[in-house]
Amino acid sequence: MRPLQLHLSAFGPYAGEERLELEKLGPGGLFLITGDTGAGKTTLFDAISYALFGQLSGGVRGLDTVRSDYAAPDRETFVELTFRHRGKEYTVRRTPQYQRPKKRGEGQVVQPATALFLAPGRPPVEKVGEVDTAVRELLGMDGDQFRQIAMIAQGQFTELLNAPGERRSAVLRQIFGTAGCRAVQDKLRAAAGEAARDAEQKTAALRQALEGFKLPQEGETARQLGERLKDEAAVWRCDEILTLAAALCADDEAACAAAAAESKALDDEAQATAARLEAARQAAALHTAAGEAARQLAQLEGQQADKERQHAALAQVRAAREQAELEVRRQEGQLPAYQRREEQRALRKKLEEGLKQCEADRRAAGEEEARLEEESARLAEQEKGAQEARRRQTAAEASLDALTLRLAQTDTALTAARRLRGAQQAALDAAASFTAAQQEYTRAKGEYDSAEALFWQGQAGLLAANLAENAPCPVCGSLHHPAPAKPAEGAPDRAGLQTAKEALERLHTAYQKAAEASGAAQAADEAARQEFLRLAAAALAQWGQQAPDTPRAAALALKEARAAGEAARAAAQAEAAAARREAEAGERAGQSLPDCRNKLEACRTRRQTLAEENTRLAAQLSAARTLEEELGASLPFADEAGARRALAQAQAGAEKLAADLEGGERDWRAFCEQLAAARQLAAQRQADLARAADPAAEQALSAALTDLNVRRTALQNRWQALSTRLAANRDACARVKALAKRTDAARRRAQLADRLHRTAGGTLVGGLGKQQFEQYVLVAYFESAVAAANRRLAAMTGGQYQLLCHGRAESRGQSALDLDVLDNYTGKRRSVRSLSGGETFQAALALALGLSDVIQQYAGGVQIDTLFVDEGFGSLDEDSLEKAIATLQSLADGNRLVGIISHVAELRQRLEKQVLITKTPRGSHMALREP
């Protein structure tokens, strides 16, 4: 993955939009990102990381702080990155969530976070979560892996180099993301505890199930089983217990079978005795039933004569019903006539409404004819005035064009007036700056002359202090010194005088530049004045006026002329628009006139047709009224509803007579059937009485049946007790067998979980030794990183130093991650803390590059074509710096770019490719400096 272009706005210290074309840095090599502290050097990597993964590069800054404090309220915050991956170009754009002013009204509104991912040959991806997934799947890594591979934060790895084992373990856990290994340890510990608890619970359940056996008080098998169940180790001897329980169940099954057979024999005997007892009881009941049947028969035979007379009277009811049914059929036959009369009445009403509508349509057609005649005359009049209106429109538009040209010349002159005012102000400002520079230079010149005089006076005093009588003066050679110079108080030294002289020269240069600037501003002012007066004279001439001599008067005349011209142009525009509307209206009238005349002719034809329709409907209405009257004269009721009410009454009367007739017939049939049944029952009771048993045997049979029931109950209780014990013991056997199997499996799982837990925790002999699982993985990762780091450290130190990791074979716990350094020049091994500042930087840089290689390898061989190294080069001497750059240059060989984030001056001189970050009070800016 190689970034090609970075475009950001209102992000971090960058107030506006900034573009960085990284593709101009070339396919490979080193480049420098430099600028003042806090200018925003590391923010560039933040922006790349945020664009790709929606995350910043460090854990200190949060996404709620990325919007620039320098940005204008309406400035959008976004980052857009174009990058190349496996030969294809992709673009990703993100905006964070931030507050912005409302577009309507006052107050703030939350701008939600957005994302957009553009890939060749596929539709855009717009949702934040989907963009995260698309980028992660494309690059084959997440944000944490990208930062660990592509960003080498030198301070972090210096801390990692010198940290004790415990601190180094915490840092490496974050770098390699081995929190999952710790989670595995925790899960294995929890699983071991859960498995142990499960085994204990199942053992308790098994012990409780063993208490469910029901034992008889006698029998060898019951005695042995009871002894096994009382043993504390019963849960471990389930096979023996189940064998004895099976034997006990077999004994109970045999006893149940014998009791069942004896119970069946007693049941058969009791059933026969109960049958004989029932026969004796029934014989007594038959005597009573026979007398009751004879009494009921005599009663019914006494009612027979009355029932026959009632049945004969039903003939009159039958005749009345037939007469009522004839009347119903006659009234039903008249119903169609009522329907025909209703249809004729509806037709009459329809014809009346049609006639009324026809008359209304005829009146409307007359009114429409009059309106169309007036419209036709009006359109003809408008058509005549269209040509005159077009002529007025042409004249007004020509006047408007001339006025527009004059106003344009006037605006040009007024623009020159504004430029003149700017030039005048610039001349005044330049003159003021010249005066201030002149005064400052004059003041500084006086101060310097005084200081110079004091300096030379002080030099004479210094020489005079060393003069001796009869010793030659070093200046004049005299042997006598009657008036030696006195030392000057407050005299400056030579360095101070030189500093004052340099300051005076700078002020003199500023004074000369101010004089030149003032002269140039005066010349520009005069040129602008001449240009304005020329343009003003030309513009006023167009309005028939003579230009004044002064710029102020000319500007006032131009404004007055422009105001008058605007008024004239507005009047010309109004006149042209009015003439155009009148002409267009006349032309539309000419186009509409034929259609209006056609409508008028059609309206006249429709009015004639409606008059004929009116006559026809009047004739049809008269005929319909006559037929309706004829139908109404032959019917007894006013309408069909009255006829149907009378029909309903007739039908109700006929139905009542039919119901009375049916009820009488039903009563007669019921009486006949009841009489026949009574005669049959009396005959049957006499026949049963002849076959009945002797009622005197009932008492003896009842006593025998009671004795049999007592014996049956005792036998049933014995069988029930055996069955209950057998069922309970069978259920206990099944539960013990199942629980024993599950308990054994739970014990095996608990043993396995305990071994895994102690293996991961480093407490099991063998396995990982005495190292915990996470520590074991960290040591493996760290040893690979140290091996990769040594290859680069050897190049940077000329083979002098080699990092040594204690490793898993030498020690236990955190000390396995401790580092030493081997000095190949002396052959001695010592702590990495004994390295000098420059050597520490070299070792930390090598370790950082080694960790980057290992992380990249474990991320699936992901190829990152651009790396960033942040700070740390200020502690190196010239030779060490050269070797460090050579190491980084080896990383950049081929098609890889390595960016160094630093403000070290020597790097700015050594590296030609640079990204310059400039910090200003209104935000930072970036620029690319190419070789």
Side-chain angles (χ1 to χ4, degrees), residues 421-437 513-515 517-519 521-522 525:
R421 286 195 295 273
Q424 290 173 341
Q425 184 61 43
L428 291 174
D429 293 342
S433 298
F434 169 71
T435 301
K513 290 182 179 180
S518 178
Q522 294 293 339
D525 179 24

Side-chain angles (χ1 to χ4, degrees), residues 514-585:
E516 293 173 359
S518 178
Q522 294 293 339
D525 179 24
E526 181 60 27
R529 180 177 180 280
Q530 295 299 326
E531 176 67 11
F532 167 66
L533 290 175
R534 182 184 65 79
L535 292 174
L540 290 172
Q542 294 290 329
W543 300 103
Q545 299 180 21
Q546 185 175 0
D549 295 335
T550 63
R552 181 178 183 82
L556 180 61
L558 285 171
K559 290 180 180 179
E560 293 174 351
R562 191 181 189 286
E566 285 290 349
R569 182 166 66 174
Q573 287 176 337
E575 173 63 19
R580 181 171 63 256
R581 287 193 298 271
E582 184 179 348
E584 291 173 351

Side-chain angles (χ1 to χ4, degrees), residues 400-561:
L400 181 62
D401 292 341
L403 287 170
T404 301
L405 180 60
R406 293 178 186 176
L407 287 171
Q409 291 178 340
T410 303
D411 288 340
T412 301
L414 289 173
T415 301
R418 288 191 291 272
R419 289 198 299 271
L420 174 59
R421 286 195 295 273
Q424 290 173 341
Q425 184 61 43
L428 291 174
D429 293 342
S433 298
F434 169 71
T435 301
Q438 185 180 34
Q439 292 174 352
E440 181 67 16
Y441 173 70
T442 302
R443 180 193 60 76
K445 183 67 169 63
E447 292 177 355
Y448 175 76
D449 291 343
S450 299
E452 186 178 27
L454 286 173
F455 171 77
W456 291 118
Q457 184 179 352
Q459 294 299 312
L462 291 175
L463 292 174
N466 295 322
L467 292 178
E469 191 65 24
N470 296 322
C473 174
V475 177
C476 62
S478 175
L479 297 177
H480 302 286
H481 318 290
K486 303 296 183 181
E489 294 183 0
D493 56 11
R494 184 177 297 277
L497 184 64
Q498 181 63 29
T499 300
K501 182 179 181 181
E502 292 173 355
L504 180 63
E505 290 175 352
R506 287 194 297 271
L507 290 174
H508 183 263
T509 301
Y511 163 69
Q512 290 178 332
K513 290 182 179 180
E516 293 173 359
S518 178
Q522 294 293 339
D525 179 24
E526 181 60 27
R529 180 177 180 280
Q530 295 299 326
E531 176 67 11
F532 167 66
L533 290 175
R534 182 184 65 79
L535 292 174
L540 290 172
Q542 294 290 329
W543 300 103
Q545 299 180 21
Q546 185 175 0
D549 295 335
T550 63
R552 181 178 183 82
L556 180 61
L558 285 171
K559 290 180 180 179
E560 293 174 351

Side-chain angles (χ1 to χ4, degrees), residues 314-315 317-319 321 656-666:
L314 292 177
V317 177
R318 187 177 292 106
R321 185 196 66 178
K656 183 178 182 305
L657 290 171
D660 293 343
L661 180 61
E662 183 180 356
E665 291 288 351
R666 184 168 58 251

